[in-house]
Amino acid sequence: MLKHIAAMTMAVAVTAIAALTASAAKAGPTLDRIIKEKKMVVGVAPWNRFVLLNPKSGEYEGFIADDIHNFEQMTGIKVQFVNTTWSGLVAGLQAGQWDVVMSGLGATPERAIAVAFTDPIGYLSSTAMVRADSSVQSFEDLDKPGNVVSVVSGTAAQQFAQRTFKNAKVNPLSDTAAAVLEVMQGRSTAYIGDSVSNAMRAEERPTELRNVKFAADKTEWTTMNHAVRYSDLDLVVFLNTYVRAMQLRGWYRTLAEKWKLPPELATGPR
């Protein structure tokens, strides 16, 4: 009798565990559709060397675009790109216009109120863009009375500058072009932006501009992430499996080298 009861108890336990496992493994509607249809719609915003439509080939190119193409090959899921603006990425996601944002959107507590983020695919730090003939070599050189640093209003760079600069004046402007122009015309001592964008601008205009990196304790790091709706958290798990595998294989270092991007983009702070 005892053996019979024990056998029945074990059978019930196994059945319960199997049911729980099946329930836990069931994908939500978005991921289920993606897997069945082998198609995922992705919202992107133009970003040179990251995800940009080549008008000649009609194909998207760059660090993120290459990563998406690699994802397609590994999973068999075809990705449909939808081009939008930076300001429209989150709104389009919430409206159901695309399944995932894949434009290197930075994960911040403010944005996390609206969307769920994956693990990082890259890292950016705050640096200064100065004129090529400027004497500024460090954060300390810049944070002096009489100096002016331009930033784009509403960005992480503005928040960083206003928190950290105690002596230099912070001048918020409407867009990047206006903020960089202030530097080129000598009205601002420096423009504060992300390490990758500033490095590319300095590379494009070496006789006019120079990128100044700050010491580790004087800069601030942000991440580049994919984003989904909170109703699709299982999609975060799915995407993270890919991202973590690629991190371990050194894939993002390879992409940074290919697109001539700073190596710390793949490694982050050391």
Side-chain angles (χ1 to χ4, degrees):
M1 176 63 75
L2 290 175
K3 289 183 179 179
H4 179 66
I5 293 173
M8 288 180 62
T9 302
M10 180 63 71
V12 171
V14 170
T15 302
I17 291 171
L20 285 171
T21 302
S23 176
K26 185 178 180 181
T30 301
L31 180 57
D32 186 55
R33 172 180 53 76
I34 289 171
I35 293 173
K36 286 181 178 178
E37 297 179 1
K38 293 292 183 180
K39 176 184 174 182
M40 185 168 73
V41 183
V42 167
V44 298
W47 190 4
N48 188 28
R49 297 198 209 177
F50 283 91
V51 55
L52 195 65
L53 184 63
N54 185 324
K56 293 182 179 179
S57 66
E59 299 290 333
Y60 282 89
E61 298 176 346
F63 179 100
I64 293 173
D66 278 358
D67 190 33
I68 291 174
H69 295 321
N70 186 62
F71 170 84
E72 289 180 310
Q73 293 176 2
M74 296 191 72
T75 64
I77 295 171
K78 179 65 177 177
V79 172
Q80 177 186 338
F81 290 80
V82 180
N83 204 20
T84 185
T85 62
W86 281 96
S87 60
L89 285 170
V90 172
L93 178 67
Q94 293 176 327
Q97 295 176 342
W98 36 83
D99 304 315
V100 189
V101 170
M102 286 188 165
S103 257
L105 196 64
T108 66
E110 295 85 357
R111 287 174 179 158
I113 294 173
V115 297
F117 289 99
T118 65
D119 287 352
I121 62 168
Y123 302 85
L124 308 172
S125 64
S126 297
T127 65
M129 176 70 62
V130 301
R131 285 168 55 113
D133 58 2
S134 172
S135 62
V136 172
Q137 299 289 339
S138 66
F139 180 94
E140 289 75 14
D141 290 341
L142 194 51
D143 191 20
K144 292 180 178 179
N147 285 345
V148 177
V149 293
S150 61
V151 294
V152 177
S153 181
T155 63
Q158 180 190 12
Q159 297 171 1
F160 163 74
Q162 290 179 331
R163 281 198 311 270
T164 56
F165 286 96
K166 307 303 181 185
N167 300 299
K169 178 184 176 182
V170 178
N171 181 28
L173 295 164
S174 60
D175 58 60
T176 303
V180 174
L181 185 62
E182 289 291 294
V183 176
M184 295 181 67
Q185 295 184 345
R187 290 188 293 270
S188 286
T189 315
Y191 160 73
I192 303 299
D194 72 79
S195 51
V196 170
S197 298
N198 279 351
M200 288 192 291
R201 290 189 187 95
E203 181 184 310
E204 291 165 359
R205 298 182 174 182
T207 61
E208 300 174 281
L209 297 170
R210 181 164 52 84
N211 185 31
V212 177
K213 294 182 180 181
F214 299 144
D217 62 339
K218 295 295 183 180
T219 192
E220 182 173 88
W221 287 86
T222 56
T223 58
M224 295 166 50
N225 311 72
H226 304 320
V228 306
R229 294 177 289 270
Y230 272 108
S231 57
D232 295 324
L233 287 179
D234 54 344
L235 186 51
V236 171
V237 176
F238 175 64
L239 294 172
N240 271 345
T241 302
Y242 169 80
V243 170
R244 290 167 186 168
M246 294 304 101
Q247 288 171 338
L248 291 172
R249 297 179 191 184
W251 169 241
Y252 297 115
R253 290 195 301 272
T254 300
L255 288 182
E257 291 173 3
K258 174 184 175 180
W259 290 99
K260 297 180 180 179
L261 296 166
E264 59 266 25
L265 173 74
T267 60
R270 292 287 188 173

